[in-house]
């Protein structure tokens, strides 16, 4: 028999809000999505997420407040990593970027980003799953 | 005593469309065009058809 554990919808939303609300703190004006190269050493483009990055979660899903949000690339490189940073530029979460397959958290139309390219954030959600109980 | 359980991991999903300096959409995997098609303007679609062929939006 598999282990079973089920989180209520209210608890899922509370957990989700606890994560995304960390983006809305700091000394600056807005959280940012930063796209970087494979080593995360070179930031290629930064996209502002607004003063309140995500709306209140519902059934464990929080959705970014403003889409599309656009950033202009400041250098040329291959996108491979992303960071979600708060208003003080402190990293809250990070992940990988790619174009094909299902192994990437961030799906981008082209990983080859040139200086002055425009990168439009078109969708972003954070989901806390329910788990299972049979 | 029961077994430990694992809280399900959060799932993050992000999509982004890249446009070149002239404002044209950039794709390095043509199969991704369908995923972003709802964001493409008529001018974008004309540009992509001229670049990749008229059938690019057939599927």
């Amino acid at each position: 028999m598999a282990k079973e554990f089920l989180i209520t919808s209210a608890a899922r939303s509370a957990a989700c809000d606890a994560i995304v609300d960390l983006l809305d703190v700091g000394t600056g004006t807005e959280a940012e999505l930063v796209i970087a190269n494979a080593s995360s050493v070179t930031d290629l483009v930064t996209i502002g997420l607004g003063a309140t990055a995500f709306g209140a979660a519902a059934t464990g899903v929080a959705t970014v407040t403003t889409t599309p949000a656009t950033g202009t690339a400041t250098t040329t490189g291959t996108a491979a990593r992303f960071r979600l940073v708060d208003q003080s530029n402190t990293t809250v979460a990070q992940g990988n970027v790619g174009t094909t397959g299902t192994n990437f958290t961030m799906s981008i139309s082209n990983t080859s980003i040139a200086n002055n390219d425009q990168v439009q954030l078109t969708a972003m959600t954070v989901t806390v799953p329910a788990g299972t109980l049979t | 005593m029961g077994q430990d359980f694992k809280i399900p991991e959060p799932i993050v999903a992000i999509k982004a469309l890249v446009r070149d300096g002239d404002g044209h959409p950039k794709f390095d995997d043509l199969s991704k065009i369908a995923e972003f098609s709802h964001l493409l303007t008529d001018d974008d679609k004309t540009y992509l058809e001229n670049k990749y062929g008229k059938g690019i939006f057939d599927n």
Side-chain angles (χ1 to χ4, degrees), chain A residues 99-100 109 117-118 127, chain B residues 11 14 17 19 26 29 32:
Chain A
T99 53
T100 59
S109 67
D117 277 0
Q118 302 287 312
T127 302
Chain B
I11 301 165
I14 307 173
L17 174 66
R19 292 181 180 274
K26 290 174 60 174
D29 179 348
K32 282 281 177 179

Side-chain angles (χ1 to χ4, degrees), chain A residues 49-71:
Chain A
L49 301 177
T52 304
F54 284 81
T59 59
V61 181
T63 302
V64 71
T65 304
T66 304
T67 55
T70 302

